[in-house]
Amino acid sequence: MDDRMMKAVLYDRYGGPDVLYVGRVPRPRPARGEVLVRVRAFSVNGGELSARSGRVRFLTGRKFPQRVGLDFTGEVAGLGAGVTDLAVGERVWGVLGRTSGFGSAAEYVTVPAVRVGRVPEGLDLVAAAALPVATTAVTALRDKAGLRAGERLLVRGAAGGVGNAAVQLGRAYGAQVTALARAANLDFVRGLGAHEAVDHRVMGPGELGRFDVVLDTVGTDLRRYRGLLAPDGRMVTIAFDTARPVASLGFILASAVHGRGRVRFFSGNPQRAELDALARLVEEKQLAPATDTVFPLEETAAAHRALEAGGVRGKFVVEVG
């Protein structure tokens, strides 16, 4: 077999999960300041579904084939020039940067050395793949919202990848956590540390009360959830309504200057410092990976299909055999 090539998950047109297939592409080589990572696992993220379906083709364009995979765990397999703070064989995790696009659904990936961190000792690399996107929850609650002990926190989409981490962190930070999830997942989010778990299909926003911090991972009905903010409340969203992107993003921008309670929108873009902070939270047992199902690389389409169906508990992870 040609060791200059590798397996990767690709698609040649926009569409449903069935457009995904495992093909062969050239194995990348690390440029200066980069590391080559032998990927052991990655997780499936909502942004990939939007990209693959074509809902955000104004961002992803029409050049094919395109790739999937945002985060990864694995071992360092090669070092680019100038990289002296990592060694071949070290266990690492990370998230591809905003300008890199997708591509971690592969046997190897190159990434700037500043975008990888060391996986905590004793943490299985497949289970660990559920955690890199948890850096988004850390940034949202700690940095964007400034969540304080004793405050009321509402987590929307609490059973998902970022949401489950936010519930755990909210409890660790001393907040009073209310988690919104499907009925079937209420016990799951209570087990993560939620003080109150609410079926979002039974109880609407108007019945939830007031909150100091609202963390939204869904992106729809942002105006209604912003209305739940107490005086001096803060709302952070990591998603927008892909069915109405212009109107949704317009509302987020307008909220910065109009109305009560600014909606802070951001996209996770972690570097070494954030990944090291994540490792400390795991080591201090304030955060643990929540893995729903592990799929083999050849069944990445099934993992996409499962996430689209909803009801995930934590993360769907794909193991690269």
Side-chain angles (χ1 to χ4, degrees), residues 76-321:
V76 176
L79 302 172
V83 178
T84 59
D85 55 351
L86 291 168
V88 171
E90 284 195 285
R91 295 164 11 111
V92 294
W93 56 11
V95 179
L96 300 182
R98 291 184 187 133
T99 58
S100 302
F102 300 112
S104 65
E107 292 180 303
Y108 292 87
V109 67
T110 52
V111 61
V114 296
R115 292 198 174 278
V116 300
R118 294 175 178 86
V119 175
E121 289 295 328
L123 186 60
D124 176 77
L125 284 177
V126 177
L131 278 175
V133 296
T135 54
T136 299
V138 176
T139 301
L141 297 180
R142 183 191 66 187
D143 303 332
K144 301 294 183 180
L147 180 67
R148 298 184 290 269
E151 290 191 314
R152 293 197 69 204
L153 166 67
L154 176 69
V155 180
R156 188 178 179 215
V162 175
N164 91 82
V167 171
Q168 296 182 64
L169 292 172
R171 184 68 180 249
Y173 293 159
Q176 188 75 17
V177 183
T178 297
L180 293 184
R182 294 185 176 197
N185 289 338
L186 297 184
D187 286 342
F188 170 69
V189 295
R190 288 190 192 100
L192 296 172
H195 296 87
E196 183 179 12
V198 177
D199 182 351
H200 66 89
R201 293 178 293 187
V202 173
M203 187 177 293
E207 305 171 79
L208 294 172
R210 298 294 182 200
F211 297 88
D212 301 293
V213 174
V214 173
L215 174 59
D216 180 274
T217 71
V218 180
T220 58
D221 295 326
L222 296 180
R223 189 184 304 273
R224 295 179 69 195
Y225 283 95
R226 185 180 73 163
L228 305 184
L229 293 177
D232 300 321
R234 294 87 70 199
M235 179 171 175
V236 180
T237 182
I238 63 168
F240 61 90
D241 188 348
T242 57
R244 303 169 59 249
V246 175
S248 183
L249 290 170
F251 168 73
I252 293 169
L253 292 172
S255 76
V257 292
H258 296 294
R260 180 178 62 82
R262 176 183 175 187
V263 179
R264 299 163 174 85
F265 172 76
F266 80 103
S267 173
N269 196 36
Q271 296 194 22
R272 180 79 56 81
E274 288 78 18
L275 293 163
D276 288 348
L278 183 69
R280 288 192 294 272
L281 289 166
V282 174
E283 291 165 348
E284 294 165 1
K285 306 206 180 299
Q286 294 182 324
L287 184 64
T291 302
D292 185 306
T293 307
V294 178
F295 297 83
L297 184 69
E298 289 73 18
E299 295 182 18
T300 301
H304 274 234
R305 195 175 298 113
L307 186 58
E308 286 188 340
V312 62
R313 296 185 177 189
K315 297 287 288 182
F316 291 122
V317 169
V318 177
E319 183 175 7
V320 181

